Amino acid sequence: MKMNKKIKIVVSVSATIFLVLLYCFIFRFSEQDGETSGGFSLMISEKCMEIWNALARKNWSEVIVQQWAEYFEHPIRKIAHVCEYAVMAGLLFCIWYPWIGVYGRGGKPNVEKSKRKFWRRIPLLTKIIIPWIFVSAAFDEIHQLFVPERYGSFADVLLDTLGGCFGLFCCVYSVKMLNCIQMRRKKK
């Protein structure tokens, strides 16, 4: 997909602003103490079970909804982790993708590099985005070590990184599909 320089700047700046907001969101939740964080997660889980109860027309009692909410609280929390970092990978992709392979030494446009095939950009994007996600997740978990009733977990760092990999995969797949659609339109 070809973009002119103004569009690239707008996309990159917008994605950077949203990335900063996402970091604020993530670290704001990380600074909650264990009781507050657990209560919020349980509330979200209860709402999910109430919606499921209504959609599936199960007519469960409040006690059963509460039991299911407690059962699914941990998986829902982990799914939220994956989603946060998948979004982060998407934003990083929007920041970096337009510029990878376009500029050579000295900051001057390199026409040959800008014509690189789509797949040749992916290893460099992966080398930038996945470590970025890993380090961000690690700092989030280290931050939690200093919050009462919270703890840092290397498993959460890996789960967050997996979410980032998923987000990167979705972005790569989306751009590839858009490129295929554009190629088909050109042929017609």
Side-chain angles (χ1 to χ4, degrees), residues 146-163:
F146 300 101
V147 176
E149 301 174 22
R150 298 290 296 266
Y151 62 92
S153 168
F154 186 68
D156 279 354
V157 172
L158 294 178
L159 186 67
D160 296 344
T161 305
L162 182 65

Side-chain angles (χ1 to χ4, degrees), residues 8-172:
K8 289 178 185 182
I9 290 170
V10 169
V11 167
S12 295
V13 169
S14 300
T16 302
I17 291 168
F18 284 117
L19 182 64
V20 169
L21 292 173
L22 180 63
Y23 273 115
C24 292
F25 176 79
I26 289 171
F27 282 92
R28 183 77 176 142
F29 277 115
S30 292
E31 73 182 12
Q32 292 178 339
D33 63 29
E35 186 177 329
T36 305
S37 176
F40 183 73
S41 295
L42 187 58
M43 182 192 72
I44 297 294
S45 182
E46 287 171 357
K47 293 296 178 193
C48 290
M49 289 301 106
E50 287 171 8
I51 291 169
W52 174 255
N53 187 25
L55 290 175
R57 298 181 184 177
K58 297 283 188 180
N59 297 322
W60 290 334
S61 68
E62 284 187 35
V63 173
I64 293 174
V65 169
Q66 181 67 28
Q67 288 173 341
W68 280 109
E70 289 172 5
Y71 181 76
F72 281 110
E73 184 268 332
H74 187 73
I76 288 173
R77 178 185 282 238
K78 297 308 171 187
I79 289 168
H81 271 259
V82 169
C83 292
E84 288 170 349
Y85 285 87
V87 169
M88 184 183 290
L91 292 171
L92 289 167
F93 184 87
C94 290
I95 293 168
W96 288 103
Y97 177 75
W99 304 101
I100 297 294
V102 176
Y103 288 93
R105 291 187 180 151
K108 295 181 181 179
N110 186 330
V111 177
E112 287 182 24
K113 284 189 177 183
S114 67
K115 292 182 180 178
R116 282 184 177 176
K117 289 190 175 187
F118 170 75
W119 291 111
R120 292 188 183 158
R121 294 180 183 192
I122 302 308
L124 184 54
L125 281 168
T126 303
K127 289 176 188 174
I128 293 169
I129 293 173
I130 300 305
W132 187 308
I133 297 285
F134 182 85
V135 169
S136 297
F139 276 119
D140 181 32
E141 294 301 316
I142 290 168
H143 174 241
Q144 288 181 27
L145 292 173
F146 300 101
V147 176
E149 301 174 22
R150 298 290 296 266
Y151 62 92
S153 168
F154 186 68
D156 279 354
V157 172
L158 294 178
L159 186 67
D160 296 344
T161 305
L162 182 65
C165 291
F166 177 73
L168 180 60
F169 172 79
C170 291
C171 290
V172 168

